[in-house]
């Protein structure tokens, strides 16, 4: 009964340069979303910033989008810079349809996101 | 030869749902332990079926997962409540005829303890085999009985786990069935008749297990105009159905106070934020439209979009045109969402399609998303259509995509009959 969770892997890590990176790979949907929800809850939303690495994200349904917006709310409330890195074109189209392209800061890669946060 | 109450015994074997299951470490370890205790080369955990002896686990008997139910060994062992021992098969007429004795591996020694259920049914045995005759000690036979009891405990645990999972699955299936029923009640049973307009709608279900929260409606406003909406709430199942219900009634009520499409979406945004603040925020996406009939038979349409795919117009000349509400944001979760409003006119022969993203996020056989582009290409090949035909064409596309469609899809099609169709209707 835990099998669906295996479709999503969430790997949080501190970077030497400061920002907290959460790597999200696989399918983010209503079966798997709580794995990312917990990772976001446990992440330090401090002034070093948080980067969600979505380069390995192959699918994101509406529940997944809810988790991303929750992370956005948390970042807004804490004054923490939050960015999404490596979003694939298919996924970017989905984000654009719901208008999230106007909400998040996007970077092509984690490196780009991290160096932008350091500036 | 057969146990006196063989039917009841076989029923017990079936009840534990163990036959033909894949290897399981717990039983493998019991077989290995039995062999070690007897310092014998072979041991098995065997279940006696109607006409075969099936090995749940074997140790030292490679490449053998079942044998016939020949007398002399396991088939005889389950006839008795205590350990069954053949010290030398050469001196036992029944055992001597057994294929395991006659052929490979040439068994000379056999000792078995029955695996017995609490109601006394003997399902099979834990047994050890050797290719030389031997005389087991009482301590070894006691240990063999303990191992058989351990197998029985394991079978009981498995059965109770199977029952829990089955009950949970049934319970979940029932909950989904109720959610599906509830979801159906949230769709209008039939669309109203709008003079001078054709309208058709459909709900395409992708999975029987996961109920989506797509919705649509078409209804009159107080000023001679009509309103329609189509959208999708986040999530699945009963929670999504509750959100769908709230969304649908909010949009209908909002339209009574202020039929301006952007105002209707803004009102919904406020209601959703009030309802779901704190704990688990929820959102929906929707297109809301107002239809104004004009004297020449055409309709002016004002559309507002909140995070929803743009409606597509099919013009009388066969061209396909997005009525773009791109830039509109999802409803209910963003601090100050932006909704985008646009207008278009449906002339006689024109059609309009509204859909949820189950359609455009469907995967084509090459693995790519269909996308708005793919949908527009499909519509361009079919040309101008009435609302019914337009709907039929998109439903045909959905069934061609088959398993590529992973989410529910709602469709709403509108069309203004062309002058020739009007004449045809008058001739009827």
């Amino acid at each position: 009964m835990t099998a669906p969770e295996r479709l999503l892997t969430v790997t949080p890590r501190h970077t030497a340069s400061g920002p907290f990176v959460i790597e999200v790979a696989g399918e983010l949907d209503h079966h798997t979303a709580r794995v990312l929800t917990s990772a976001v809850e446990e992440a330090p939303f401090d002034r070093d910033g948080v980067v969600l690495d979505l380069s390995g994200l192959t699918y994101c349904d509406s529940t997944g989008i809810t988790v991303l917006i929750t992370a956005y709310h948390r970042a807004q409330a804490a004054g923490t810079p939050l960015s999404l890195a490596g979003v694939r074109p298919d996924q970017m189209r989905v984000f654009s349809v719901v208008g999230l392209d106007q909400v998040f800061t996007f970077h092509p890669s984690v490196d780009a996101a991290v160096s932008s946060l350091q500036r | 030869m057969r146990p006196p109450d063989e039917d009841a015994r076989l029923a017990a074997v079936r009840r534990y749902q163990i036959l033909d299951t894949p290897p399981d470490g717990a039983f493998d370890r019991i077989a290995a332990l039995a062999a070690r205790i007897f310092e014998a080369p072979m041991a098995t955990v065997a279940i006696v079926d109607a006409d075969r002896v099936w090995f749940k686990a074997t140790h030292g008997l490679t490449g053998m997962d079942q044998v016939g139910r020949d007398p002399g060994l396991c088939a005889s062992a389950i006839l008795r409540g205590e350990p069954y021992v053949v010290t030398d098969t050469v001196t036992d007429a029944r055992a001597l005829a057994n294929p395991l004795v006659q052929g490979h591996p040439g068994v000379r020694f056999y000792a078995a303890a029955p695996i017995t259920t609490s109601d006394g049914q003997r399902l099979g045995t834990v047994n050890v085999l050797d290719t030389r005759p031997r005389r087991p000690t009482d301590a070894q036979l006691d240990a063999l009985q303990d191992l058989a009891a351990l197998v029985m405990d394991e079978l009981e645990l498995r059965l109770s786990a199977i029952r829990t999972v089955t009950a949970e699955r049934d319970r979940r299936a029932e909950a989904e069935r109720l959610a599906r029923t509830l979801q159906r009640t949230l769709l209008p049973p039939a669309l109203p008749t709008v003079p001078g307009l054709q309208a058709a709608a459909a709900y395409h279900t992708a999975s029987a297990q996961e109920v989506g929260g797509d919705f649509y409606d078409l209804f009159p406003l107080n000023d001679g105009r009509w309103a329609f909406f189509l959208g999708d709430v986040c999530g699945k199942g009963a929670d999504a159905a509750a959100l769908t219900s709230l969304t649908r009634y909010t949009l209908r009520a909002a339209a009574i106070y202020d039929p301006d499409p952007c105002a209707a979406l803004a009102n919904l945004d406020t209601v959703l934020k009030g309802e779901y603040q704190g704990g688990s925020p929820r959102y929906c996406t929707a297109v809301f439209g107002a239809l104004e009939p004009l004297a020449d038979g055409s309709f002016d349409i004002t559309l507002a979009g909140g995070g929803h795919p743009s409606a597509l117009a099919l013009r009388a000349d066969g061209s396909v045109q997005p009525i773009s509400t791109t830039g509109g944001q999802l409803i209910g979760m963003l601090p100050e969402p932006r909704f985008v409003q646009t207008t278009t006119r449906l002339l006689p022969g024109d059609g309009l399609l509204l859909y949820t993203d189950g359609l455009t996020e469907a995967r084509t056989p090459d693995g790519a998303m269909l996308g708005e582009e793919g949908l527009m290409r499909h519509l361009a090949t079919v040309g101008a259509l009435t609302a019914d035909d337009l709907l039929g064409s998109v439903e045909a596309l959905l069934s061609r995509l088959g398993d590529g469609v992973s989410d529910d899809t709602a469709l709403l099609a509108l069309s203004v009959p062309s002058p020739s169709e009007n004449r045809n209707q008058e001739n009827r």
Side-chain angles (χ1 to χ4, degrees):
Chain A
M1 272 179 288
T2 53
E5 268 81 357
R6 277 183 227 140
L7 295 172
L8 182 80
T9 55
V10 174
T11 319
R13 61 184 159 93
H14 285 279
T15 56
S17 44
F20 191 78
V21 175
I22 302 177
E23 187 186 309
V24 186
E27 303 190 354
L28 177 59
D29 61 20
H30 69 289
H31 295 293
T32 62
R34 62 196 157 94
V35 181
L36 182 58
T37 303
S38 328
V40 167
E41 278 167 7
E42 287 159 20
F45 276 74
D46 56 26
R47 76 179 96 134
D48 287 336
V50 174
V51 177
L52 293 176
D53 176 6
L54 304 186
S55 56
L57 186 69
T58 53
Y59 177 75
C60 177
D61 79 347
S62 55
T63 308
I65 285 175
T66 307
V67 180
L68 297 179
I69 301 175
T70 306
Y72 168 78
H73 287 161
R74 176 129 186 250
Q76 290 292 105
T80 303
L82 170 71
S83 55
L84 306 191
V87 177
R88 297 181 181 195
D90 260 4
Q91 205 46 61
M92 198 63 211
R93 284 202 294 185
V94 172
F95 288 169
S96 300
V97 169
V98 296
L100 286 188
D101 53 335
Q102 308 157 56
V103 172
F104 288 103
T105 306
F106 293 89
H107 292 285
S109 66
V110 171
D111 287 348
V114 168
S115 60
S116 140
L117 283 172
Q118 283 169 318
R119 250 176 249 143
Chain B
M1 179 56 233
R2 303 236 148 187
D5 200 358
E6 177 64 359
D7 287 346
R9 196 195 68 81
L10 283 175
V13 169
R14 301 272 177 276
R15 185 168 74 235
Y16 287 93
Q17 301 177 45
I18 187 72
L19 288 170
D20 302 310
T21 51
D24 180 321
F27 297 98
D28 291 345
R29 277 191 289 278
I30 288 172
L33 196 55
R36 199 191 307 160
I37 289 167
F38 279 74
E39 292 171 14
M42 295 167 283
T44 81
V45 174
I47 304 294
V48 180
D49 194 6
D51 50 8
R52 59 173 177 159
V53 175
W54 178 79
F55 299 130
K56 175 60 193 169
T58 60
H59 176 85
L61 256 183
T62 45
M64 203 177 281
D65 56 8
Q66 60 181 40
V67 294
R69 189 172 166 177
D70 293 291
L73 304 182
C74 284
S76 301
I78 58 158
L79 298 175
R80 325 151 39 119
E82 64 270 21
Y84 174 85
V85 180
V86 180
T87 52
D88 188 351
T89 54
V90 172
T91 64
D92 184 305
R94 274 191 315 180
L96 190 56
N98 192 289
L100 287 176
V101 175
Q102 287 292 312
H104 175 78
V107 171
R108 288 288 295 277
F109 165 76
Y110 176 84
I115 300 165
T116 309
T117 64
S118 56
D119 57 348
Q121 296 297 343
R122 293 187 282 276
L123 307 177
T125 69
V126 177
N127 57 77
V128 290
L129 311 100
D130 202 342
T131 51
R132 54 191 177 87
R134 43 192 300 170
R135 195 163 291 282
T137 65
D138 287 348
Q140 284 173 323
L141 291 178
D142 285 349
L144 198 59
Q145 290 193 83
D146 285 345
L147 291 180
L150 207 56
V151 166
M152 197 60 239
D153 288 348
E154 191 63 33
L155 290 175
E156 292 290 358
L157 270 177
R158 277 186 81 258
L159 182 59
S160 123
I162 290 170
R163 285 183 172 150
T164 307
V165 169
T166 307
E168 174 67 11
R169 196 182 298 140
D170 289 352
R171 196 193 59 74
R172 206 176 297 177
E174 174 67 6
E176 288 298 341
R177 200 185 57 74
L178 284 172
R180 175 73 65 197
T181 307
L182 174 58
Q183 194 270 330
R184 291 282 177 211
T185 66
L186 298 175
L187 298 174
L191 294 177
T193 303
V194 180
L197 190 79
Q198 267 204 8
Y203 191 96
H204 181 271
T205 303
S207 149
Q209 286 80 45
E210 296 182 343
V211 184
D214 299 13
F215 59 88
Y216 56 80
D217 206 353
L218 170 63
F219 53 97
L221 295 172
N222 298 331
D223 55 4
R225 297 190 305 161
W226 294 75
F228 58 91
F229 56 77
L230 175 140
D232 190 359
V233 305
C234 71
K236 302 274 180 199
D239 288 351
L243 177 57
T244 304
S245 169
L246 176 67
T247 297
R248 186 161 175 262
Y249 291 110
T250 302
L251 283 176
R252 283 200 72 145
I256 293 170
Y257 294 111
D258 187 351
D260 173 65
C262 258
L265 297 185
N267 186 298
L268 176 61
D269 182 67
T270 307
V271 169
L272 292 186
K273 280 173 180 163
E275 186 72 19
Y276 292 96
Q277 63 185 338
S280 56
R282 297 303 197 108
Y283 74 87
C284 78
T285 71
V287 171
F288 188 103
L291 277 165
E292 181 167 7
L294 302 179
D296 64 356
S298 53
F299 283 81
D300 264 347
I301 297 185
T302 308
L303 276 179
H308 200 84
S310 298
L312 296 176
L314 271 81
R315 299 304 181 186
D317 65 3
S319 63
V320 184
Q321 177 193 2
I323 307 303
S324 176
T325 48
T326 303
Q329 293 180 303
L330 54 83
I331 305 159
M333 262 192 96
L334 295 174
E336 281 171 19
R338 174 174 165 229
F339 305 121
V340 169
Q341 190 156 310
T342 184
T343 57
T344 188
R345 181 169 292 182
L346 287 191
L347 300 173
D350 288 350
L352 186 75
L353 174 71
L354 285 84
Y355 60 91
T356 55
D357 59 12
L359 175 59
T360 40
E361 288 184 19
R363 298 281 171 179
T364 58
D366 63 6
M369 277 187 197
L370 176 68
E372 186 185 64
E373 306 79 11
L375 176 59
M376 285 176 65
R377 273 197 303 278
H378 168 79
L379 295 176
T381 61
V382 298
L385 292 173
T386 64
D388 283 330
D389 293 341
L390 175 54
L391 197 74
S393 161
V394 176
E395 288 191 291
L397 173 65
L398 279 167
S399 61
R400 271 209 304 286
L401 291 169
D403 289 344
V405 185
S406 60
D407 204 357
D408 287 4
T409 302
L411 301 168
L412 175 62
L414 306 175
S415 70
V416 181
S418 60
S420 61
E421 285 171 65
N422 280 335
R423 265 199 307 281
N424 288 342
Q425 279 172 356
E426 282 160 20
N427 290 344
R428 268 180 215 156

